[in-house]
């Protein structure tokens, strides 16, 4: 196991040990909300893999959904979320998270987030907005986005994420108990050997090029999503699913990894990852076929451009397949120019710089990988399967998003679950302290289990992991020993987009699995070769990191593809061309933790599936683990 080898060396050579009460991995909205809501008596360290502004939270445009309007209700918000989630939302968690929406947005107001306000008509022009210190949720201007039955999305112009993050970063950096460490990459979690308890992380400090061991009483995973496993992606390059893999390796279950949400309208200009906010369609933007000028969504769904994202994304992909242009047109030029400039200043300015005046010209758009609905299984308080390990934000699976996230629910989830963690974590620490002072070590792990209740899932199906023997016996495997890390990474992204994209079928997924297995073998060869050279030259871990990162991404890609392969239906964001219909019982796909050996299971499937499945069945359980590592 290459990865274990690297981790052992990292462990042995650890340069320095650090102590903090709470370690938060990720400085996006989930991480910062947790940190700022925790008691100031706790010392908190927040890690960010790159610069602080490099996170999805910073790029969020549209806004944060909550039932704030007097004509709206929490139950309507829940109903819309459940419809988008297509039968796979965890209903208790959904209700719990959405019910806290108003308090979460109010909390953001109190942190100084400059949300766009409803102009106060009776006041003079220069006093038409309230000072930020007095801002209440009732003052906020709300937009409408796809899948929402009414105006429900609070925003700060069209750069909500940037405004939120700027306000929270100022708060975090000025808090005496919080240390924010950019360019510190967590490599793995520290599990206390006797129990299933998380007590810190191994970290690579890119500034000083050294390894650090952070010891903490609790860890919060807030490391974001995995969009960058795909070629066209809206998320920044830090989002490659590190947290999902660290949690899985530490003993957490993963759920619903196949539900990748593709945003319908990424800007289709070269390699741009710029997103054209859903709010443009919410305000009346229309999608047209560039060649015929036909408004094609009218034929697809009664909600036209405001249908849920998966429906719009598939319709656009279908158009692109036929038109061969690589894009369709999103047109807002029928809306008043002044309104567009005022409400969408960032989009207006960015596109103008690219030569597109949205008040006059249509925007070329194409779907882009955008959001991971699945992740590390948690409850609404962020508790995972591992004691002392919480998770929040896009890395986590609370079940709020089900098979398809309702627009703008994710920022809300970051804040609500982050704040819930901040309430639960002191309880956990106090209970632990009491146990440690009153109980002998031998009784500790049993008693810890009493103060940490792992999350439960409703109906689920276990995902079977692949066998290395099945892949290695394939004589068609051709390994190119000259390929390099950058090339494999680029090819992996292209493969995920083409074979695990908006639509998929068994053949594509099988091909993808074989290809990835081939890269794994190739990587193992390159890796040992390279490590040997590094050892001679006394090189640092920095040289090993790219191998470690790619190995992890290949593993994660397999987990995602296996989840898609073993879901024999189309639901929400998962569309199988060979299984276009829903099965009767919605089930959450669950991957057992790596620490536990996968069990043999009988999955419900038809004959053709059984045939394919038998080709990929486990030769033996140890082999399954070998295959995935
Ligand atoms: C372009 C775009 C627009 C969006 N618009 C909206 C919107 O309008 N409304 C909405 O609700 N949602 C929106 N989303 C989704 C939403 O922004 C994200 O789901 C949410 O911000 C995720 O927050 P997070 O805190 O979980 O992760 P992020 O904000 O992505 O932060 C992840 C953090 O983890 C760190 N990290 C990752 N790996 C490691 C590691 N190994 N070690 C240390 N640190 C690590 C990163 O450096 C980063 O600091 C949008 C997403 C994108 C990409």
């Amino acid at each position: 196991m290459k990865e274990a080898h690297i981790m052992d060396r990292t462990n042995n050579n650890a340069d320095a040990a650090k102590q903090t009460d709470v370690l938060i991995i990720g400085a996006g909205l989930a991480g910062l909300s947790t940190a700022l809501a925790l008691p100031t008596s706790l010392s908190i360290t927040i890690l960010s893999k790159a610069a602080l502004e490099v996170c999805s939270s910073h790029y969020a445009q549209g806004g944060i959904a909550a039932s704030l309007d007097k004509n709206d209700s929490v139950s309507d918000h829940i109903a819309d979320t459940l419809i988008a989630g297509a039968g796979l939302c965890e209903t208790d968690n959904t209700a719990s998270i959405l019910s806290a929406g108003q308090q979460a947005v109010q909390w953001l107001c109190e942190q100084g987030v400059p949300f766009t306000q409803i102009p106060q008509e009776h006041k003079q022009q220069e006093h038409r907005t309230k000072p930020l210190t007095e801002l209440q949720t009732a003052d906020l201007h709300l937009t409408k986005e796809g899948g929402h039955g009414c105006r429900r999305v609070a925003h700060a112009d069209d750069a909500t994420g940037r405004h939120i993050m700027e306000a929270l970063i100022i708060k975090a950096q000025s808090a005496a108990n919080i240390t924010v460490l950019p360019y510190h990459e967590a490599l793995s979690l520290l599990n206390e050997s006797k129990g299933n308890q998380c007590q810190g992380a191994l970290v690579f400090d890119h500034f000083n090029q050294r390894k650090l061991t952070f010891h903490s009483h609790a860890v919060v995973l807030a490391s974001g999503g995995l969009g960058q496993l795909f070629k066209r992606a809206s998320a920044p390059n830090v989002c490659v699913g590190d947290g999902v893999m660290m949690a899985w390796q530490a003993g957490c279950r993963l759920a619903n990894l196949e539900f990748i949400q593709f945003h319908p309208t990424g800007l289709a200009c070269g390699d741009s990852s710029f997103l054209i906010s859903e709010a443009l369609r919410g305000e009346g933007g229309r999608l047209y076929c560039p060649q015929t000028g036909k408004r094609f969504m009218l034929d697809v769904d009664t909600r036209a451009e405001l249908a849920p994202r998966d429906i719009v994304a598939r319709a656009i992909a279908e158009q692109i397949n036929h038109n061969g242009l690589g894009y369709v047109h999103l047109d807002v030029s029928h809306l008043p120019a002044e309104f567009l400039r005022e409400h969408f200043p960032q989009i207006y300015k960015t596109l103008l710089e690219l030569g597109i005046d949205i008040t006059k010209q249509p925007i070329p758009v194409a779907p882009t990988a955008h959001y991971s609905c699945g992740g590390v299984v948690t409850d609404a308080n962020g508790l995972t399967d591992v004691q002392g390990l919480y998770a929040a934000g896009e890395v986590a699976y609370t079940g709020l998003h089900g098979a398809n996230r309702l627009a703008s629910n994710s920022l809300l989830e970051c804040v609500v679950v982050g704040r819930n963690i901040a309430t639960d974590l002191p309880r956990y620490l106090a209970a632990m302290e009491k146990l440690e002072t009153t109980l002998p070590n031998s009784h500790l792990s049993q008693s810890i289990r009493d103060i940490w209740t792992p999350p439960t899932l409703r109906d689920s199906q276990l995902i079977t992991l692949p066998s290395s023997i099945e892949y290695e016996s394939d004589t068609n495997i051709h390994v190119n020993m000259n390929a390099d890390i950058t090339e494999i990474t680029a090819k992996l992204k292209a493969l995920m987009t083409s074979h695990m994209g908006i639509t998929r079928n068994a053949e594509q997924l099988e091909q993808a699995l074989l290809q990835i297995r081939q890269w794994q073998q190739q990587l193992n060869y390159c890796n040992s070769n390279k490590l040997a050279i590094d050892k001679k030259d006394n090189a640092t871990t920095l040289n090993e990191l790219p191998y470690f990162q790619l190995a992890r991404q290949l593993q994660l890609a397999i987990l995602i593809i296996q989840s898609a392969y073993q879901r024999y239906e189309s639901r929400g964001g998962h569309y199988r061309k060979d299984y276009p219909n829903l099965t009767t019982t919605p089930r959450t796909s669950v991957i057992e933790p790596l620490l536990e050996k996968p069990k043999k299971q009988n999955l419900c499937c038809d004959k053709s599936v059984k045939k394919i499945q038998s080709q990929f069945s486990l030769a033996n359980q140890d082999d399954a683990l070998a295959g995935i590592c």
Side-chain angles (χ1 to χ4, degrees), residues 259-574:
F259 291 101
I260 307 289
Q261 185 175 70
F262 290 83
H263 194 290
T265 55
L267 178 65
C269 259
D271 285 342
S272 172
S273 60
F274 189 71
L275 202 71
I276 307 299
S277 168
E278 183 115 7
L280 272 186
R281 278 177 289 128
E283 295 299 340
R286 297 168 187 160
L287 290 162
Y288 292 102
C289 168
Q291 288 132 328
T292 62
K294 185 175 163 65
R295 194 176 158 202
F296 55 87
M297 281 311 298
L298 292 175
D299 294 342
V300 176
D301 194 288
T302 49
R303 293 161 288 188
E305 285 83 1
L306 289 181
R309 285 184 175 170
D310 58 310
I311 295 174
V312 182
R314 268 199 307 280
I316 295 177
E318 184 80 16
Q319 290 285 321
I320 289 174
N321 277 346
H322 287 118
N323 73 21
L325 296 173
Y327 62 86
V328 296
H329 276 151
L330 172 63
D331 189 34
V332 287
S333 61
H334 56 286
L335 300 175
E338 198 44 44
F339 170 81
L340 290 173
R341 279 193 286 266
E342 194 183 319
H343 280 77
F344 303 103
Q346 181 179 248
I347 294 176
Y348 174 74
K349 189 168 158 275
T350 305
L351 293 191
L352 202 58
E353 282 164 9
L354 291 169
I356 303 166
D357 180 349
I358 63 169
T359 65
K360 299 192 180 89
Q361 294 165 286
I363 310 164
V365 292
T368 179
H370 185 54
Y371 187 82
S372 167
C373 296
V376 181
V377 176
T378 72
D379 65 13
N381 290 329
L383 273 74
T384 69
D385 291 330
V386 173
Q387 289 127 31
L389 178 65
Y390 294 83
E394 198 168 334
V395 68
Y397 168 85
T398 59
L400 170 66
H401 310 298
N404 195 14
R405 176 181 69 115
L406 185 65
S408 290
N409 268 355
S410 43
L411 291 184
L412 181 70
E413 187 187 38
C414 289
V415 181
V416 172
V417 178
R419 277 162 39 91
N420 287 351
I421 291 174
T423 307
D424 191 84
L425 196 148
R427 171 206 63 82
Y428 167 71
L429 294 189
M432 276 299 293
E433 196 178 350
K434 197 166 160 209
L435 278 186
E436 279 165 358
T437 48
T438 54
L439 277 181
N441 245 352
S442 51
H443 292 130
L444 207 55
S445 30
Q446 177 55 44
S447 301
I448 294 173
R449 270 175 231 136
D450 298 337
I451 58 171
W452 187 276
T453 311
T456 52
L457 292 171
R458 282 180 320 147
D459 297 314
S460 59
Q461 68 163 27
L462 290 181
I463 298 300
T464 311
L465 297 182
S467 153
S468 60
I469 287 183
E470 299 286 347
Y471 294 107
E472 279 160 9
S473 64
D474 188 321
T475 48
N476 290 327
I477 286 180
H478 172 256
V479 179
N480 172 12
M481 298 297 186
N482 296 322
D484 61 21
I485 298 287
T486 316
E487 187 183 341
I488 298 178
T489 306
K491 284 183 172 172
L492 172 66
K493 284 165 171 261
L495 182 80
M496 291 298 278
T497 295
S498 60
H499 287 60
M500 177 57 220
I502 295 177
T503 62
R504 29 197 97 152
N505 62 29
E507 196 185 341
Q508 288 175 309
L509 296 170
E510 286 165 19
Q511 283 170 357
L513 286 169
L514 286 170
Q515 178 60 72
I516 292 171
R517 184 71 191 123
Q518 187 178 332
W519 285 328
Q520 283 185 320
Q521 290 167 342
Q522 195 174 340
L523 183 69
N524 285 348
Y525 171 84
C526 295
N527 201 350
S528 22
N529 195 26
K530 177 81 174 151
L531 285 181
I533 294 166
D534 285 347
K535 271 182 209 152
K536 247 194 293 166
D537 294 345
N538 237 347
T540 67
T541 310
L542 189 60
N543 301 75
E544 301 166 7
L545 265 184
Y547 297 95
F548 171 70
Q549 289 160 340
L550 178 58
R552 181 178 260 175
Q553 287 169 31
L554 291 171
Q555 288 177 343
L556 178 53
I558 287 183
L559 299 187
I560 295 170
I561 295 169
Q562 279 293 340
S563 303
Y565 187 68
Q566 294 176 44
R567 182 173 285 282
Y568 311 111
E569 63 165 348
S570 291
R571 181 184 295 278
H574 168 76

Side-chain angles (χ1 to χ4, degrees), residues 24-32 47-52 54-65 145 153 160-161 165 184-187 203 222-225 233-236 238-243 246 263 273-275 277 309 369-372 392-396 405-414 552:
I24 300 181
I25 301 173
L29 183 56
L32 293 190
L47 308 178
S48 154
K49 194 171 170 179
L52 290 185
V54 183
C55 63
S56 295
S57 302
H58 189 90
Y59 295 154
Q61 298 175 344
I64 177 165
E145 294 189 343
V153 180
T160 310
M165 293 305 290
H184 279 63
E185 176 176 354
L187 302 175
V203 173
S223 51
S234 59
V238 290
C239 297
V240 285
D242 290 352
M246 283 190 275
H263 194 290
S273 60
F274 189 71
L275 202 71
S277 168
R309 285 184 175 170
H370 185 54
Y371 187 82
S372 167
E394 198 168 334
V395 68
R405 176 181 69 115
L406 185 65
S408 290
N409 268 355
S410 43
L411 291 184
L412 181 70
E413 187 187 38
C414 289
R552 181 178 260 175

